Structure formats: C-alpha cells, structure tokens
C-alpha cells in the first residue's frame, strides 16, 4: 500500500519536495494526490517543474470557493481517492484547507496521518490556518515539528508526546538545495527589476479581503515606495482589491504576476528588505539574511523573530520600520543583510539544516514498520 501525499496549495509543494525525495531514497511506494486547491499554472505547475516533483497521480480539481464549499469538495474527492488507493499512511503539509480536509478524511477511514509542519501556533483563531493546524494535529498519528516550541504547544493541547517528532524544516531543505539557482542578476533582468528595491507580498484575508483595509494597506505600501522601489508579485487573492485601491498608480511600484519558486526566491535574495504577511517567507528571509517586516499582529513562527530577521509591524509601523531597515540602523529587523553562509549559520534555528526531509522519512518508515 502506498504512502499518499496530499498537496493543494503553493506552500505545500515547497515542503513536500524533500520529503518525497527522501522517501524515494528509502524505496517507499508513494502516490501524489493534488487536490487542485491552487490550479493556475503560476500557482502550481511551475512549482512541480522547478522542484522536480513527480507528476500528481491524480488532480481532484476542487478549485476555489468559500471555506464550506471548498472544504466540502475536498472531503468528497479525498474520501473517494483514499477508499480507492487504501494508503498505508497519508502525509499532509502545513495549514491550508487541503491539509485539514485530508487529515479528517483519513482519520475517519482509520488511515494514519503524518502532519509535516505540526505544532506551529499563532493563538489567533480568527485565522483559518490556525483552525486548520490545530485540528490537523489532533488527528495525526505523527506530528512532524519544524520548530522546537511546537513540541510544547502539542503537549499543552494533550497530544501524546510519543506522537511529536522534532525533525526540522523541510521548506528550508528546498531553499538550501536550490541556493545555487537563486541568481539575483538574472531575475532583475528577466523581470526588469530596479537595482535597489523592497519586495512585498500580501494575501492574508485580514489584510486584503476588505476593500477599505486593502486601501489603507495600499497607502502604506505607497509610503514604502517613496523610500525605495517596491516590487510586488500579486497573489490572485486580493489582486482586485489592491489594484482597485490604486496599488500600481504610484511612482516606484512594480506590480508583477505571481513568480515561480526560483525567480521568487532570487528576487527575495536581492531585496533590500521584504514586507509580507506570508508564513513561509518569514522563514526563508531568516535563512537568507534579508530583513523581513511581517504585517500581522502575531506569528506562528516566533523563532524567525528571536533567531532571525523577522519583525512584526502594524500598518502604521510599516514605513518607519522599512526606513530603519534600509538605513541598517541597530535595532532594525536586520540592517546588515549578510550573504547566506557563515553568518546565516548563526541565525539558523535548530535543525533548519537542509536535512529535515530524511529525518521525516525515517520517522515515517519506522512508524510503518512497527
Ligand atoms: C491558501 C491558504 C493560505 C496560504 C495560501 C498560499 C487556506 C485556507 N489558505 O490561501 O494559508 O497562505 O494558500 O498561497 O487554505 N485563486 C486563483 N488561482 C489559484 C488559486 C486561487 O485565482 O490557483 C484565487 C481564487 O479567486 C480564490 C482565491 O485565490 O478564491 C483564494 O484561494 P484559496 O485557495 O481559497 O486560498 P488562498 O488565499 O490562496
């Protein structure tokens, strides 16, 4: 019986690549179910190509919709899929709707679930991701934890300690494995980027779904653009609201389509600072040594603040914080922005060492042989 990976959204693809590789190296039988939660070529296909992911065995094509509609389609599609394939174990990634749906269906069918990126907590139940990750961890036989504090979070919620395995961060495996491909000069030329720029990404419902909030955000982003050119690849979610608020109608703002993984990280690597509300990007900037200003009231990844280059800011704090970062003042998110290398190793959270995939594969194979 195969180990089935359930992948749905962009960040899932980045986390799964090293796990699939490591399981393949151990000779495991595997299948990949793509739920189709993300379906635009730029949100999905390009990641499969660039990361060398195997072609999905099936794509359920669930697409977009409200939470109920999307989750319902995921549940129905995944139940059929798991019933047909009888997986030995299902691996789910991160905190997206595909993650909780797959965990719920597998648990009901008594198929063990392994959750990669278990234990993260923002303690903010207004975020759909927090709901998804809490419930997924409760349903998982193996909680594969990326950051040490995650083990304590699981214990506090009554998850038996034997289920929690601190294995490190597979998203960082992918980053380190591709480090040689992040060519800043090439990406500058390919996308006509300015010499010095701040890179922004914004897609959280709390920041972009309400037109008035999105407009306020755009005003602050224009303030950033007054300090340095602002490059912003726009996620489909929020695109309409940000553009309606005039995002690109300001000097120095460069709106791009969503980028593939290699171009995106190359653009991050070349940025003077990053402004974001993404989860994964807080981690990637920590390893790349790029100052990161996260426009959120909280983070499920506090280690990127304590060890890394991340800092949480309100809308009002954004422009002053970017100014500080650009000036490299002490106390800024990280003024020095060293090249990844020796300095990066000092900043590296425990086990973000490029070997999480093999550790995850080992835990899973041991579990299946018991
Ligand atoms: C999802 C995750 C979020 C993650 C993000 C990464 C959930 C609840 N949220 O958010 O945690 O940070 O992915 O990208 O699972 N759309 C397209 N093309 C696509 C995909 C989406 O146009 O390929 C548009 C649709 O209008 C859709 C909207 O984006 O309604 C939102 O997509 P959805 O899958 O609901 O969640 P994301 O906002 O992408």
């Amino acid at each position: 019986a195969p180990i089935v990976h359930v992948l749905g959204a962009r960040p899932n693809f980045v986390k799964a690549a090293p796990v699939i590789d490591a399981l393949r190296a151990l000779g495991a039988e595997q299948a990949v179910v793509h739920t189709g939660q993300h379906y635009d070529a730029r949100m999905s296909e390009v990641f499969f190509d660039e990361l060398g992911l195997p072609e999905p065995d099936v794509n359920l094509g669930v697409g977009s919709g409200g939470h109920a509609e999307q989750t319902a389609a995921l549940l129905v599609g995944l139940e059929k899929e798991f019933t047909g394939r009888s997986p030995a174990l299902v691996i789910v990634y991160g905190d997206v709707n595909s993650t909780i749906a797959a965990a719920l269906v597998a648990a009901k069918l008594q198929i063990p679930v392994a959750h990669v990126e278990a234990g993260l907590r923002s303690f903010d139940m207004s975020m759909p991701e927090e709901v998804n990750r809490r419930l997924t961890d409760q349903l998982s036989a193996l909680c594969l934890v990326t950051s040490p504090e995650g083990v304590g979070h699981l214990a506090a919620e009554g998850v038996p300690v034997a289920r929690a395995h601190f294995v490190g961060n597979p998203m960082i495996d992918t980053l380190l494995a591709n480090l040689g491909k992040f060519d800043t000069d090439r990406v500058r030329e390919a996308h006509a980027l300015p010499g010095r720029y701040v890179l922004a990404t914004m897609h959280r419902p709390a920041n972009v779904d309400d037109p008035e909030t999105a407009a306020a955000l755009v005003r602050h982003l224009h303030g950033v653009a007054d300090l340095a050119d602002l490059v912003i690849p726009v996620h489909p979610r929020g695109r309409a609201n940000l553009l309606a608020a005039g995002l690109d109608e300001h000097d120095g703002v460069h709106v791009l389509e969503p980028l593939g993984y290699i171009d995106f990280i190359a653009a991050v690597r070349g940025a003077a600072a990053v402004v974001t509300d993404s989860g994964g990007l807080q981690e990637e900037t920590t390893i790349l040594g790029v100052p990161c200003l996260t426009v959120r009231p909280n983070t499920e990844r506090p280690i990127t603040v304590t060890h890394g280059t991340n800092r949480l800011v309100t809308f009002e704090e954004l422009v002053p914080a970017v100014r500080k970062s650009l000036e490299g003042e002490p106390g800024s998110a990280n003024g020095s922005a060293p090249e990844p290398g020796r300095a990066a190793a000092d900043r590296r959270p425990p086990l973000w060492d490029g070997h999480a995939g093999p550790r995850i594969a080992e835990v899973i194979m041991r579990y299946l042989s018991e």
Side-chain angles (χ1 to χ4, degrees):
I3 294 171
V4 170
H5 304 261
V6 176
L7 309 183
R10 199 165 58 174
N12 293 165
F13 312 141
V14 183
K15 292 161 196 168
V19 178
I20 292 173
D21 284 350
L23 283 168
R24 187 189 298 125
L26 297 180
E29 182 192 348
Q30 308 185 70
V32 172
V33 173
H34 191 321
T35 64
Q37 179 176 344
H38 284 177
Y39 44 86
D40 286 351
R42 284 197 181 92
M43 300 293 288
S44 176
E45 232 173 87
V46 62
F47 287 77
F48 277 76
D49 293 346
E50 291 183 343
L51 300 175
L53 282 162
E55 186 89 355
D57 292 84
V58 62
N59 188 320
L60 304 179
V62 301
S64 303
H67 283 282
E69 191 186 354
Q70 187 180 58
T71 308
L74 285 160
L75 293 173
V76 172
L78 287 165
E79 186 175 70
K80 282 200 189 102
E81 208 49 50
F82 294 170
T83 306
R85 289 177 193 272
S86 311
L89 177 138
V90 167
I91 309 186
V92 299
Y93 295 84
D95 54 21
V96 303
N97 283 348
S98 296
T99 310
I100 174 61
L104 183 55
V105 169
K108 295 273 178 78
L109 293 172
Q110 299 182 42
I111 300 163
V113 176
H115 181 206
V116 172
E117 201 184 83
L120 296 185
R121 294 293 181 269
S122 67
F123 301 100
D124 177 356
M125 289 294 270
S126 75
M127 293 180 67
E129 293 81 6
E130 183 73 0
V131 176
N132 291 344
R133 57 174 87 92
R134 277 179 184 252
L135 298 179
T136 301
D137 284 339
Q138 285 295 330
L139 296 170
S140 295
L142 296 173
C143 290
L144 301 156
V145 176
T146 51
S147 189
E149 76 278 5
V151 176
H153 294 154
L154 293 170
E157 290 168 20
V159 174
V161 282
R163 286 193 205 159
H165 302 265
F166 173 45
V167 290
N169 191 335
M171 188 172 242
I172 300 306
D173 287 22
T174 301
L175 183 80
L176 296 175
N178 289 286
L179 214 45
K181 296 185 193 159
F182 305 133
D183 182 341
T184 307
D185 292 334
R186 192 190 56 73
V187 82
R188 263 206 191 92
E189 207 171 293
H191 299 282
L193 306 185
R196 182 169 184 259
Y197 60 89
V198 172
L199 184 118
T201 76
M202 287 290 158
H203 75 284
R204 287 284 155 216
N207 284 335
V208 303
D209 278 7
D210 169 52
E212 275 179 35
T213 307
L217 176 60
V218 164
R219 285 198 294 278
H220 292 285
L221 291 173
H222 287 166
V224 173
D226 292 337
L227 301 174
D229 279 285
L230 183 76
V231 171
I232 176 161
V234 183
H235 187 286
R237 173 174 220 118
R239 182 182 185 93
N241 282 347
L242 293 173
L243 292 180
L247 176 63
D248 58 346
E249 293 159 21
H250 193 89
D251 277 355
V253 175
H254 308 252
V255 171
L256 305 181
E257 293 298 313
L259 298 175
Y261 178 72
I262 300 294
D263 279 9
F264 180 66
I265 302 291
V268 169
R269 193 181 192 175
V274 161
V275 172
T276 192
D277 57 11
S278 148
L281 195 44
Q282 299 171 50
E283 301 181 338
E284 290 157 335
T285 47
T286 274
I287 297 303
L288 292 170
V290 176
C292 181
L293 300 160
T294 299
V295 188
R296 280 179 47 187
N298 51 56
T299 178
E300 62 290 333
R301 294 163 162 92
I303 204 161
T304 60
V305 176
T306 54
H307 284 57
T309 58
N310 191 23
R311 187 176 148 195
L312 303 183
V313 293
T314 62
F315 280 16
E316 287 69 31
E317 288 164 346
L318 177 61
V319 172
V322 170
R323 185 181 294 119
K324 253 189 167 185
S325 280
L326 293 176
E327 288 166 358
E329 278 176 27
S332 67
N334 177 355
S336 54
E339 280 299 294
R342 206 185 63 77
D346 302 335
R347 230 178 5 250
R348 210 174 268 178
L351 298 191
W352 291 19
D353 58 358
H355 304 294
R359 284 191 286 265
I360 290 167
E362 202 220 318
V363 170
I364 288 171
M365 295 309 270
R366 201 186 327 130
Y367 174 85
L368 288 175
S369 71
E370 272 163 12

